[in-house]
Amino acid sequence: MAQMSTAPAASLNGVSLCLTSSTHHLRHRSVQPSAVSAKLASSSTAPSSPSLPTLIRNEPVLATPAPILNPVNWEDMGQDYEQAIEALKKLLHEKGDLKATAAAKVEQITAELQSTPSNGKIFNPVERVKEGFIHFKREKYDKNPALYGELAKGQSPKFMVFACSDSRVCPSHILDFKPGEAFVVRNVANIVPPYDQTRYAGVGSAIEYAVLHLKVEYIVVIGHSACGGIKGLMSFPYDGKYSTDFIEDWVKIGSPAKAKVLSAHGGKEFGEQCTHCEKEAVNVSLGNLLSYPFVREGLVNKTLGLKGGYYDFTKGSFELWGLHFSLSSSLSVKDVATILHWKL
Amino acid sequence: MANLTQPPPASCKNVSLKTSAIFGLKLRLEDFEQTRLNFRASFRINPSLGLKASVEPPGLIRRIRREKFKTARDKQDEKELFDELKNRFLSFKRNTYLENMEHYKDLAKSQSPKFMVIACADSRVCPSVILGFQPGEAFTIRNVANLVPPFEHGPSETNAALEFAVNTLQVENILVIGHSCCGGIQALMSMQDVSDDSSSFIKSWVRVGRNASISTKAAASGLGFDQQCRHCEKESVNRSLSNLLTYPWIEESVMRGTLSLHGSYYNFIDCTFEKWTLDYMARSIKGSAAIKNQSFWH
């Protein structure tokens, strides 16, 4: 009984939108029942300085001495350095009298490296891109002909991801999406605008393509820490005159988040307000997704799920939550009257 | 609870069915039983309801069965799927983030990418994967068919990102990456009348590239549809580069030499990458798009 009388939106004609958990929770902090925050349990802070690895060995090492330093290419730099240092330590453990020579050589190399200008060679964008592509082709494409052969014919990603254009939050890195897994849209502040075929055809076409043609199973909107777009949203005064051509116009889509943060956390310092806004803006985007009829339909038919995420790169954490959405079938006038104890 | 003469309509029970789904099947089965009992009770009291209700069940049962089946299986799949993502994030954190803590700390304070990349949202062409961009290197926009609308098009998410990248982050290079088998370009080429077909979002958006499709159809009319699409994919990259120059602050930076515009094309059928740079100086002399430094990697 109590359940029914508080059930929101029992409409008299047709379908009633019953955003039970979502509307209820949108008024409070997070959208959903089961928030999964994934943190590394044993995440001790990393070694404060990347010092030389210490060799913990007591038994005699019988290996033949390895060459002291290998010429490295940028991809394997990390591993070869460690290996080289290990080898050097092994050698010196065996032959202590070589220490002086080794010290001299290491000093020489250190000096050389210090004197190289910090950008090494002048940054050449074309070379950078070319190296990247050749590496991809050799290490990934050529080694997985089956996968890439299939992908060349078509794609069927399970996910559609909205992520910020920020260079630090590519979903392929943080969630390790392989080619073919996620249809990714990236824009400033990972905002999803509401349905508008004239103004927001760009995002609308991506959602339409993903939901209706690719038939993705989940749409995930991922916000992140230190977002410039959200910071702009919180800083721009919006008092009539815009100082930018397009940015203010775009980020103002997230204004409901700003309003909520200012009312709930008005006294806190700016950085904290921005963090709250980054998460709230994800919820605003999830809500805006509901304004697309094909998204609603997918949710009702349970062919589609919506998730919100937040990647905090200052702490190295990732939060994930979901949006529950349901429709109850239509009630007749008599039924509603019964629920509300009216006399017809 | 309910007034027993008028039991809660089945639809309301549906509401609780869905909202308590997260607590597992058990609770739902109990609700189901309760509903059934309530149904029976109401038939005894008010026989006419029995007739009405007899119409409902088949559809209802089918739907509930389907939903039950789907939900149980889907919940399992969903859990596995997102557990997988969680594991991936944790390995990223372990193997990359913590290993390069200093670098990530610096990045957390600010980013200064040298590239701005405009790529398609297609799952097969993530620029971080195919070109190996690491965190901090490339400010990336991804939209359908990697299109850049001209300045006159008005506000959109693409130009907000352009403004941020060029004016605030001050990137040095803009790279537009087109690719083979692009669904958006295919939609563009299939549009018969490019001027007023706005029945769907996709058509409303890819119209931005209509100049490319017009010139492709003119230049490559003899070729098959697939070949024409290939041609259009590259042509649209060039159009996007020209559209970039309609933004005053971009043109200014290119003129000063602080910004370079590059176009490229990734063909994943045979894994080749073609890249060219817009030659602004030559352009202003000739008056049309001129390119330089064209290279082809395979």
Side-chain angles (χ1 to χ4, degrees):
Chain A
M1 197 59 219
Q3 207 176 7
M4 284 182 292
S5 56
T6 56
S11 73
L12 292 181
N13 43 346
V15 156
S16 72
L17 218 70
C18 189
L19 294 169
T20 49
S21 29
S22 57
T23 48
H24 189 64
H25 288 164
L26 270 175
R27 266 180 241 120
H28 304 296
R29 300 197 60 237
S30 60
V31 173
Q32 101 39 293
S34 55
V36 174
S37 72
K39 285 188 191 185
L40 262 189
S42 57
S43 105
S44 47
T45 48
S48 47
S49 60
S51 50
L52 297 177
T54 49
L55 190 63
I56 309 166
R57 269 196 197 228
N58 279 332
E59 71 255 56
V61 175
L62 301 173
T64 52
I68 293 189
L69 277 174
N70 301 320
V72 294
N73 44 3
W74 63 273
E75 305 134 51
D76 309 307
M77 215 153 49
Q79 292 162 333
D80 278 3
Y81 169 78
E82 310 280 296
Q83 281 169 13
I85 297 294
E86 286 272 275
L88 178 62
K89 289 223 159 203
K90 267 191 217 165
L91 174 66
L92 292 180
H93 185 81
E94 263 189 74
K95 301 190 177 168
D97 49 354
L98 283 179
K99 273 186 187 162
T101 329
K105 289 220 158 130
V106 169
E107 272 179 45
Q108 184 189 27
I109 289 160
T110 314
E112 270 176 25
L113 286 174
Q114 267 174 0
S115 62
T116 330
S118 56
N119 4 347
K121 24 192 180 185
I122 312 229
F123 178 74
N124 184 337
V126 177
E127 275 309 302
R128 170 67 190 81
V129 170
K130 179 175 173 182
E131 274 170 23
F133 177 72
I134 301 291
H135 178 91
F136 160 71
K137 174 154 182 162
R138 281 207 208 109
E139 299 302 316
K140 309 258 172 77
Y141 193 93
D142 289 340
K143 293 193 177 171
N144 293 295
L147 167 68
Y148 285 93
E150 282 307 304
L151 285 182
K153 296 183 200 144
Q155 54 168 337
S156 58
K158 280 200 161 56
F159 294 95
M160 175 183 192
V161 177
F162 278 92
C164 185
S165 294
D166 194 303
S167 60
R168 304 166 281 191
V169 300
C170 178
S172 305
H173 289 132
I174 59 182
L175 296 177
D176 197 23
F177 282 122
K178 310 276 188 309
E181 289 190 321
F183 188 77
V184 177
V185 171
R186 294 179 71 182
N187 59 39
V188 168
N190 46 271
I191 289 175
V192 182
Y195 187 104
D196 189 327
Q197 225 171 11
T198 21
R199 272 192 301 170
Y200 305 126
V203 177
S205 62
I207 304 176
E208 187 181 73
Y209 190 68
V211 174
L212 295 179
H213 295 257
L214 296 179
K215 302 200 195 333
V216 296
E217 293 176 20
Y218 295 98
I219 302 183
V220 188
V221 180
I222 306 180
H224 73 97
S225 52
C227 183
I230 298 293
K231 186 170 161 193
L233 170 66
M234 294 296 288
S235 324
F236 292 136
Y238 287 109
D239 53 7
K241 190 157 187 334
Y242 284 179
S243 55
T244 62
D245 285 338
F246 304 114
I247 299 180
E248 274 151 313
D249 203 86
W250 174 249
V251 296
K252 78 170 192 288
I253 298 172
S255 322
K258 176 177 182 176
K260 183 171 163 191
V261 167
L262 288 178
S263 73
H265 306 275
K268 310 241 171 81
E269 56 103 24
F270 186 68
E272 205 181 322
Q273 286 183 350
C274 283
T275 306
H276 287 294
C277 193
E278 283 148 7
K279 296 185 191 176
E280 256 330 290
V282 171
N283 289 336
V284 169
S285 295
L286 289 175
N288 285 342
L289 274 171
L290 295 172
S291 65
Y292 294 82
F294 34 87
V295 172
R296 281 205 301 275
E297 209 181 302
L299 286 171
V300 167
N301 294 337
K302 298 216 191 306
T303 48
L304 186 64
L306 296 188
K307 299 276 177 191
Y310 182 74
Y311 168 48
D312 186 337
F313 50 62
T314 53
K315 298 187 191 130
S317 66
F318 194 94
E319 274 175 67
L320 187 72
W321 61 93
L323 182 90
H324 285 278
F325 179 87
S326 64
L327 294 180
S328 60
S329 43
S330 55
L331 304 171
S332 71
V333 174
K334 196 162 170 213
D335 293 330
V336 177
T338 310
I339 295 166
L340 300 174
H341 292 295
W342 290 342
K343 296 259 181 228
L344 260 187
Chain B
M1 220 335 231
N3 182 349
L4 273 179
T5 52
Q6 294 289 353
S11 58
C12 272
K13 272 299 172 188
N14 257 351
V15 169
S16 70
L17 213 73
K18 285 177 175 69
T19 52
S20 51
I22 47 170
F23 298 115
L25 283 174
K26 194 163 174 227
L27 198 62
R28 293 209 337 268
L29 279 174
E30 286 167 9
D31 285 343
F32 182 69
E33 287 305 314
Q34 185 64 28
T35 312
R36 224 162 42 89
L37 288 173
N38 286 341
F39 256 130
R40 285 239 194 90
S42 69
F43 298 160
R44 261 178 259 126
I45 295 163
N46 189 346
S48 66
L49 272 183
L51 187 63
K52 203 163 133 202
S54 66
V55 182
E56 288 286 289
L60 203 65
I61 288 176
R62 225 179 292 129
R63 208 177 65 212
I64 290 177
R65 268 214 199 104
R66 191 178 59 207
E67 278 170 7
K68 248 195 190 172
F69 173 69
K70 267 177 119 171
T71 318
R73 187 198 50 154
D74 286 351
K75 281 283 170 251
Q76 193 52 39
D77 285 345
E78 182 179 321
K79 187 172 185 310
E80 279 172 17
L81 208 56
F82 285 94
D83 275 347
E84 167 70 23
L85 282 193
K86 175 175 124 185
N87 291 334
R88 288 194 193 171
F89 174 73
L90 293 177
S91 359
F92 159 74
K93 178 163 181 174
R94 237 192 318 267
N95 304 333
T96 312
Y97 185 87
L98 290 177
E99 293 290 309
N100 299 293
M101 195 66 185
E102 284 298 311
H103 179 56
Y104 278 88
K105 273 209 185 107
D106 290 336
L107 272 187
K109 294 188 197 120
S110 71
Q111 54 167 334
S112 57
K114 290 219 164 23
F115 285 94
M116 172 181 192
V117 176
I118 300 165
C120 185
D122 194 303
S123 62
R124 303 166 281 191
V125 299
C126 176
S128 309
V129 175
I130 62 177
L131 298 178
F133 286 121
Q134 295 304 308
E137 288 191 317
F139 186 83
T140 313
I141 298 178
R142 293 180 71 181
N143 61 30
V144 168
N146 46 272
L147 293 169
V148 178
F151 186 77
E152 309 83 55
H153 188 259
S156 76
E157 85 270 21
T158 310
N159 31 25
L162 281 174
E163 193 177 355
F164 188 73
V166 175
N167 293 347
T168 308
L169 295 178
Q170 296 183 339
V171 295
E172 295 167 5
N173 301 281
I174 298 186
L175 176 66
V176 180
I177 311 180
H179 74 96
S180 50
C181 309
C182 184
I185 297 292
Q186 202 176 14
L188 173 63
M189 290 294 286
S190 319
M191 277 166 67
Q192 297 297 356
D193 184 357
V194 296
S195 53
D196 65 354
D197 194 350
S198 58
S199 55
S200 74
F201 269 115
I202 298 179
K203 292 188 177 146
S204 307
W205 171 247
V206 296
R207 257 191 297 146
V208 164
R210 63 184 171 280
N211 288 336
S213 81
I214 292 172
S215 72
T216 300
K217 283 178 179 158
S221 51
L223 301 173
F225 185 68
D226 280 345
Q227 298 279 48
Q228 288 189 6
C229 284
R230 292 298 89 74
H231 195 272
C232 190
E233 283 149 7
K234 293 188 191 178
E235 193 51 39
S236 132
V237 171
N238 282 331
R239 291 290 161 167
S240 295
L241 291 176
S242 306
N243 286 345
L244 280 173
L245 287 171
T246 60
Y247 293 84
W249 15 272
I250 293 188
E251 189 172 17
E252 211 181 293
S253 301
V254 173
M255 242 178 1
R256 262 188 280 132
T258 50
L259 180 64
S260 306
L261 305 183
H262 311 270
S264 58
Y265 182 75
Y266 169 50
N267 185 334
F268 51 59
I269 301 174
D270 50 13
C271 197
T272 56
F273 197 88
E274 200 180 326
K275 176 239 142 246
W276 58 95
T277 305
L278 192 74
D279 192 342
Y280 183 71
M281 294 305 148
R283 179 183 188 275
S284 41
I285 296 170
K286 288 186 197 161
S288 62
I291 60 177
K292 61 180 179 181
N293 298 342
Q294 192 166 12
S295 38
F296 185 78
W297 308 321
H298 58 101

